Amino acid sequence: MRARRLAARWLIPVEGPPIEHGALLIESDGRVQAVGPDSTVPRPSDVVAEDFGDAVILPGLINTHTHLELTGFEGRIRAREFPAWIRQLRELKTTRAPAEYVEAARRGLAACYAGGVTTIADTGDSGAALQVLAEAGGSGVAYLEVFGPHPAQAAESLAGLRERVKCLRGWSGNRVGIGVSPHAPYTVSGPLFRAVAAWSRAESLPLAVHMAESPAETEFLANGSGPFAEAWEARGIPLPRPSGLSPVGWLAEHGVLTELTLCIHAVQLGRADIDRLADSGAAVAHCPRSNQAHRHGAAPLAALLQAGIRVGIGTDSEVSVGRLDLLAEARAARRLAGLTADALIEICTLGGARALGLASATGSLRIGKWGDCVVIAVKKAAERRSPAELVLASSPADVLLTCLGGRDVYRAL
Ligand SMILES: [Zn+2]
């Protein structure tokens, strides 16, 4: 890659205030070499320079939760109630061959880049996202899903997961990490949670879990009743004993919550749960539009942030939310938590990097970090608004350029 220099009317470094007439110099090794006011950033004569005019340069967005392999399934599930929705998704997934999953993940990754996203945390069971991220020289974490509601399946499911991780590990490296994802408390038995958590801890593998998502999940774990209990009974699966615990309490009992854990959704939380999450060091992937679409309720985003929990924003899959749009998620998060535009841009960038343990490498435009950035066109008429407000008001169609480590991964025609 050749060194390059980008300039625009505004630059939001995230660490530090927005810079009017800002510029960014990215070295040939893909790292940020200089960032600041245009007049102070060097202009080496042999470096390609681009000025985007009325636009904002900001760090590449970080999507802390999606399912790239489900790309193309938008609008394919009719069920409204969540347990039935989950069942239909499981059936839908059996209709695709492995190569089709890879193709779907490839299209999903291209759509992420076109929307200004540079780092992706993906969960899936096909391994397609890991392969696609690696082939594209991408950035992110691919969590391999494991399912297994019957307690008698636990040893076999863990063995299968270990084998898949062993086979797919070759795709990880550079900027792509591999992790594991025991899917959710209503698809994974207590013994399997305990076994996967212990093994992933021993291997220092990151773990992601869909948790505290629906009221039905809370009822299932606390009382052993409700629609998930009925679904298990219908399949002849023995129910877990009513624990009287919340999802956070139940997962903590099974050793699942550590600094390497990413809690996806985290909607059904009481005060004690938030404190417990904060003490565990686990991070949260907040998916406001998915939570809304499934009518799960509103996550206590402001309280999570106040408790010092690392929170990033996730879109979830296009089956839940349609077209992936991280800034639409940020606008939904704003309605929930009343955050400032600057705080929202931070959650979508540095916050996501922190949640994934990648903040030393990406998430802000700082010397030495990767040159991951997005350039977004803004309308002249809106000049009196802050650059963060201009970015929040934009859509994927306004993205002019997405750079990953200084390399173009998307450029508008
Ligand atoms: Zn999900």
Side-chain angles (χ1 to χ4, degrees):
M1 194 206 103
R2 290 179 62 193
R4 65 193 303 184
R5 188 183 192 280
L6 309 176
R9 169 73 191 274
W10 287 103
L11 185 145
I12 305 177
V14 171
E15 288 182 274
I19 299 162
E20 192 162 10
H21 300 292
L24 177 69
L25 183 63
I26 303 173
E27 250 309 332
S28 56
D29 63 359
R31 304 270 182 175
V32 175
Q33 196 185 26
V35 56
D38 192 42
S39 56
T40 67
V41 172
R43 294 170 185 272
S45 56
D46 57 337
V47 164
V48 180
E50 281 182 281
D51 191 326
F52 289 89
D54 279 317
V56 184
I57 302 173
L58 68 154
L61 306 176
I62 296 184
N63 187 346
T64 57
H65 178 57
T66 191
H67 301 258
L68 293 180
E69 68 186 15
L70 302 183
T71 305
F73 281 156
E74 181 184 355
R76 295 282 301 275
I77 295 185
R78 298 245 171 271
R80 300 273 293 163
E81 295 309 315
F82 192 55
W85 188 92
I86 288 284
R87 195 181 62 242
Q88 288 188 11
L89 177 60
R90 208 171 53 232
E91 289 161 6
L92 187 58
K93 283 169 72 174
T94 63
T95 63
R96 263 188 191 162
E100 293 174 308
Y101 276 117
V102 172
E103 195 40 53
R106 214 167 264 144
R107 289 199 309 275
L109 181 62
C112 287
Y113 289 155
V117 168
T118 48
T119 291
I120 295 149
D122 183 275
T123 72
D125 64 352
S126 70
L130 180 68
Q131 177 182 339
V132 163
L133 275 169
E135 284 175 346
S139 165
V141 185
Y143 298 93
L144 276 183
E145 283 180 328
V146 60
F147 298 83
H150 201 301
Q153 290 175 320
E156 193 188 332
S157 297
L158 175 66
L161 176 68
R162 290 176 64 151
E163 187 57 30
R164 280 191 294 145
V165 169
K166 200 171 130 194
C167 292
L168 292 167
R169 224 170 190 161
W171 289 111
S172 67
N174 294 323
R175 299 187 62 187
V176 181
I178 186 169
V180 294
S181 180
H183 174 257
Y186 50 84
T187 55
V188 171
S189 68
L192 182 54
F193 260 115
R194 205 182 286 285
V196 172
W199 175 68
S200 65
R201 236 183 359 259
E203 295 279 318
S204 300
L205 286 170
L207 180 152
V209 56
H210 292 78
M211 55 85 77
E213 185 175 2
S214 63
E217 176 190 330
T218 306
E219 183 187 0
F220 177 63
L221 294 176
N223 310 325
S225 59
F228 285 124
E230 287 157 24
W232 281 34
E233 274 182 323
R235 292 169 67 193
I237 300 164
L239 292 178
R241 228 174 299 130
S243 69
L245 296 170
S246 66
V248 167
W250 191 86
L251 288 167
E253 289 274 299
H254 288 80
V256 177
L257 304 179
T258 75
E259 293 89 355
L260 284 178
T261 304
L262 180 68
C263 297
I264 305 160
H265 297 293
V267 179
Q268 317 296 330
L269 307 174
R271 185 66 248 175
D273 295 320
I274 294 171
D275 292 342
R276 195 159 192 177
L277 268 185
D279 288 346
S280 74
V284 166
H286 173 57
C287 306
R289 290 198 308 155
S290 171
N291 297 338
Q292 205 177 4
H294 293 295
R295 293 176 294 166
H296 291 324
L301 176 59
L304 291 169
L305 293 167
Q306 271 156 21
I309 293 168
R310 294 173 291 137
V311 180
I313 300 280
T315 54
D316 214 342
S317 78
E318 66 169 53
V319 193
S320 292
V321 298
R323 185 168 185 187
L324 308 188
D325 181 349
L326 208 72
L327 294 173
E329 301 294 340
R331 292 191 290 272
R334 172 183 242 177
R335 288 191 286 278
L336 277 183
L339 301 172
T340 64
D342 291 314
L344 288 161
I345 298 299
E346 177 167 342
I347 294 178
C348 290
T349 54
L350 191 56
R354 286 192 182 119
L356 301 178
L358 299 173
S360 62
T362 189
S364 62
L365 297 175
R366 206 180 69 195
I367 293 170
K369 283 199 186 188
W370 288 109
D372 297 348
C373 66
V374 52
V375 185
I376 296 179
V378 296
K379 309 208 174 26
K380 266 190 178 168
E383 267 176 8
R384 259 179 293 162
R385 297 162 79 185
S386 75
E389 288 287 1
L390 294 173
V391 169
L392 274 182
S394 71
S395 80
D398 299 314
V399 172
L400 299 174
L401 178 72
T402 307
C403 282
L404 179 67
R407 179 168 54 89
D408 284 12
V409 288
Y410 171 77
R411 185 180 276 270
L413 294 173

